[in-house]
Amino acid sequence: MLQQDNRPHRFTILITLTTTVALYAMSVTIANVSLPQMQGALSATQDQIAWVLTFNIVATAVITPITGWLTAKMGQRRLLLVCIVGFTVTTFLCGGAESLDALVLFRIGQGVFGAPLPPLGQAMVMAAYPRRMHGRANAILGVGVMIGPILAPTIGGYLSEVYSWRWVFYMMVPFGVISFITCFAFIKDEKHQV
């Protein structure tokens, strides 16, 4: 990621990565309000349906610390794009899950592919901006991280009531596709300056 002198380009990188991180952040909380509908549709007990949340968080906790190692092996841009594709595919599969076991497995996939997005996003934003602007850039990225979990329960509750719990996941798929396209177009894997 090259530290650009071009302000519009830097801002495009920042917005692209902020929306990508916000999408992942939404996935962490969006299923919470849909648990009762999932429980009924999948004939699960209250303890069993909690696995949908628990295993996603566990997968995230396991993968986040190895993001640096994965980045060293794959490069930032490639890892980012692989994670977005994996996250989008597993999100779609969550919506189509026909059993609790399948839903939990796909939620684990969401956690595995989504976990590297926040640290990658932050590292790429820091590489794109000069040190004097790190605070401002981090603040904007942080807004995306905070807005996702705030909006998700409202959106998820509405979709679950009006359509079905499956739309909690399906509605994120187009945003995942858009995220992939924008990251592919605007995020370049270049040496960064210190």
Side-chain angles (χ1 to χ4, degrees):
M1 176 80 66
L2 181 63
Q3 183 168 304
Q4 300 288 333
D5 292 329
N6 184 336
R7 288 182 188 187
H9 181 70
R10 277 197 310 239
F11 188 70
T12 302
I13 290 171
L14 177 59
I15 295 304
T16 299
L17 292 170
T18 299
T19 54
T20 300
V21 171
L23 179 65
Y24 168 69
M26 282 182 68
S27 76
V28 175
T29 59
I30 200 164
N32 295 10
V33 294
S34 302
L35 288 180
Q37 289 89 345
M38 290 179 204
Q39 182 179 350
L42 300 173
S43 301
T45 66
Q46 191 168 3
D47 289 339
Q48 289 172 329
I49 204 65
W51 297 347
V52 171
L53 304 178
T54 303
F55 280 96
N56 179 270
I57 293 168
V58 169
T60 300
V62 169
I63 298 301
T64 300
I66 65 169
T67 300
W69 180 80
L70 291 170
T71 301
K73 294 291 180 192
M74 297 177 69
Q76 285 183 330
R77 183 174 189 263
R78 183 179 302 153
L79 180 59
L80 179 72
L81 295 175
V82 165
C83 286
I84 293 169
V85 168
F87 176 79
T88 304
V89 168
T90 54
T91 299
F92 178 78
L93 293 172
C94 284
E98 294 295 330
S99 70
L100 178 63
D101 292 342
L103 181 58
V104 169
L105 179 65
F106 300 140
R107 284 286 285 171
I108 290 170
Q110 262 192 327
V112 166
F113 287 109
L117 294 176
L120 265 176
Q122 185 174 25
M124 293 173 126
V125 166
M126 294 302 96
Y129 278 83
R131 289 180 198 258
R132 62 185 169 78
M133 298 180 75
H134 281 185
R136 187 177 310 154
N138 252 338
I140 293 170
L141 186 67
V143 167
V145 172
M146 294 309 297
I147 284 181
I150 292 169
L151 293 177
T154 305
I155 295 167
Y158 175 79
L159 290 172
S160 293
E161 290 298 321
V162 174
Y163 300 105
S164 85
W165 65 268
R166 296 180 186 284
W167 284 95
V168 165
F169 299 107
Y170 288 150
M171 80 94 183
M172 288 192 290
V173 172
F175 295 106
V177 171
I178 291 167
S179 180
F180 177 82
I181 292 168
T182 56
C183 285
F184 186 83
F186 299 120
I187 307 296
K188 302 300 176 200
D189 208 9
E190 302 169 6
K191 302 282 187 206
H192 69 274
Q193 300 170 357
V194 178

